[in-house]
């Protein structure tokens, strides 16, 4: 096993404790800057029972994101959202009781440099980082400076990831491993991909980090099924579609509570 809990950071300690208590983990996503009062969504997510919150920095060319999050990113950019303004918004928040994990593309990390970027995250109260277009064989610099700043980078693993590469991803990841359920972009799907179970099983052979499954989790039934294989779920496009359709924080809190209930019911199910 890798990534011993003895050296765990804030994200890993938080998720491990909840996982080990038998809780299914829920990490909803929001595109930062999508609305004037976008941080209200973070409060709603925490109130709905989120175990961590993914905050996406809008980027003009989000290559791994599907139509919904592309539209959300463009809407945020059109409003004038920038990394500096978003981190200023986060630094003004009270403690939500759950870790914040920023997701972004490597171009935004390189803009100020990995060290300055990670230090800015720390000052804003962020604990984790996802960079989906950063391959593991090029991740050493970022993971080293992130560790020095107290930021935990979580790497992505997909159904096509070979065993040797999967072990490398596990060694470089902190906090959790992000399991991508399908080969493709983010987006809502009608069913959970059959590859999800096989992938999460392979990840568990190389690490004892929490495993969160994403890309396509849209309904309580899918969350319940995902929990049978992974420690929890990431919910992005299903959240952002509702935001783009005009849903406010209370609406999103109600939606996420249905997923929270589904995860809890799966945990309570006799084995």
């Amino acid at each position: 096993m890798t990534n011993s809990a003895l050296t765990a950071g804030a994200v890993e300690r938080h998720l491990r404790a909840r996982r080990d208590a038998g809780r299914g983990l829920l990490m909803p996503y929001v595109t930062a800057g999508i609305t004037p009062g976008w941080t209200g969504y973070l409060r709603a997510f925490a109130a709905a029972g989120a175990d961590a919150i993914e905050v996406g920095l809008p980027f003009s060319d989000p290559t791994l994101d599907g139509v919904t999050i592309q539209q959300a990113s463009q809407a945020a950019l059109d409003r004038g959202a920038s990394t500096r303004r978003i981190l200023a918004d986060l630094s003004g928040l009270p403690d939500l009781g759950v870790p914040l994990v920023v997701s972004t593309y490597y171009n935004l990390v390189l803009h100020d440099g990995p060290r300055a970027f990670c230090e800015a995250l720390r000052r804003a109260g962020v604990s984790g980082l996802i960079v989906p277009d950063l391959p593991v064989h090029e991740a050493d610099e970022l993971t080293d400076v992130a560790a020095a700043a107290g930021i935990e980078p979580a790497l992505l693993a997909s159904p096509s990831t070979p065993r040797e590469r999967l072990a490398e991803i596990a060694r470089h990841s902190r906090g959790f491993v992000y399991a991508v359920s399908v080969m493709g972009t983010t987006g809502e799907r009608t069913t959970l991909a059959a590859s999800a179970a096989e992938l999460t099983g392979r990840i568990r052979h190389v690490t004892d980090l929490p495993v969160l499954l994403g890309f396509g989790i849209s309904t309580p039934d899918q969350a319940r099924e995902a929990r049978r294989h992974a420690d929890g779920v990431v919910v992005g496009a299903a959240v952002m579609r509702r935001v783009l359709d005009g849903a406010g924080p209370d609406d999103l809190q109600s939606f996420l509570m249905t997923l929270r209930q589904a995860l809890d019911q799966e945990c309570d199910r006799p084995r």
Side-chain angles (χ1 to χ4, degrees):
M1 296 294 183
T2 61
N3 304 87
S4 167
L6 294 175
T7 59
V11 178
E12 185 176 339
R13 289 195 303 270
H14 185 86
L15 295 183
R16 276 184 183 274
R18 294 191 172 200
R19 177 196 68 181
D20 294 349
R23 181 180 174 93
L25 304 175
L26 174 62
M27 185 167 78
Y29 164 97
V30 66
T31 299
I34 184 67
T35 64
W38 72 273
T39 56
Y41 290 109
L42 305 183
R43 297 184 184 91
F45 293 176
D51 301 287
I53 299 173
E54 182 182 357
V55 178
L57 301 184
F59 182 57
S60 57
D61 187 23
T63 54
L64 286 185
D65 290 307
V67 173
T68 300
I69 293 181
Q70 286 182 23
Q71 290 175 346
S73 291
Q74 191 57 54
L77 292 172
D78 289 345
R79 288 195 60 257
S82 69
T83 298
R84 188 164 298 174
R85 291 175 181 172
I86 288 163
L87 296 184
D89 289 343
L90 292 178
S91 61
L93 282 176
D95 182 14
L96 297 174
V98 297
L100 299 179
V101 179
V102 155
S103 60
T104 188
Y105 288 85
Y106 201 51
N107 273 20
L108 293 184
V109 178
L110 289 176
H111 184 270
D112 293 326
R115 187 177 305 278
F117 182 83
C118 290
E119 285 292 338
L121 294 186
R122 179 188 60 79
R123 290 193 298 271
V126 173
S127 303
L129 176 62
I130 300 168
V131 185
D133 62 338
L134 178 64
V136 66
H137 62 274
E138 298 178 8
D140 284 341
E141 180 184 9
L142 180 59
T143 55
D144 287 347
V145 299
I151 303 296
E152 295 162 78
L155 276 63
L156 277 67
S158 75
S160 67
T161 303
R163 181 173 180 175
E164 296 78 12
R165 181 66 61 85
L166 201 60
E168 283 294 305
I169 288 170
R171 280 194 290 271
H172 281 81
S173 289
R174 298 293 182 271
F176 60 95
V177 175
Y178 192 144
V180 176
S181 64
V182 294
M183 293 300 298
T185 59
T186 62
E188 295 176 274
R189 291 174 171 85
T190 56
T191 60
L192 186 67
S195 55
E198 189 269 343
L199 172 61
T200 54
R202 290 199 296 126
I203 294 172
R204 290 185 189 282
H205 277 99
V206 296
T207 185
D208 61 352
L209 282 171
V211 179
L212 301 184
L213 185 65
F215 282 42
I217 309 298
S218 308
T219 68
D221 284 344
Q222 290 171 358
R224 189 178 295 110
E225 183 180 356
R227 177 65 183 91
R228 294 169 191 162
H229 311 295
D231 296 307
V233 297
V234 183
V235 185
V239 170
M240 294 316 301
R241 179 175 57 79
R242 287 168 169 80
V243 174
L244 289 170
D245 288 344
D250 289 346
D251 302 310
L252 266 298
Q253 181 174 336
S254 296
F255 167 63
L256 290 173
M257 287 176 68
T258 68
L259 302 182
R260 175 76 268 158
Q261 184 179 30
L263 290 168
D264 291 344
Q265 288 173 344
E266 180 58 29
C267 292
D268 292 340
R269 189 170 67 92
R271 303 293 175 176

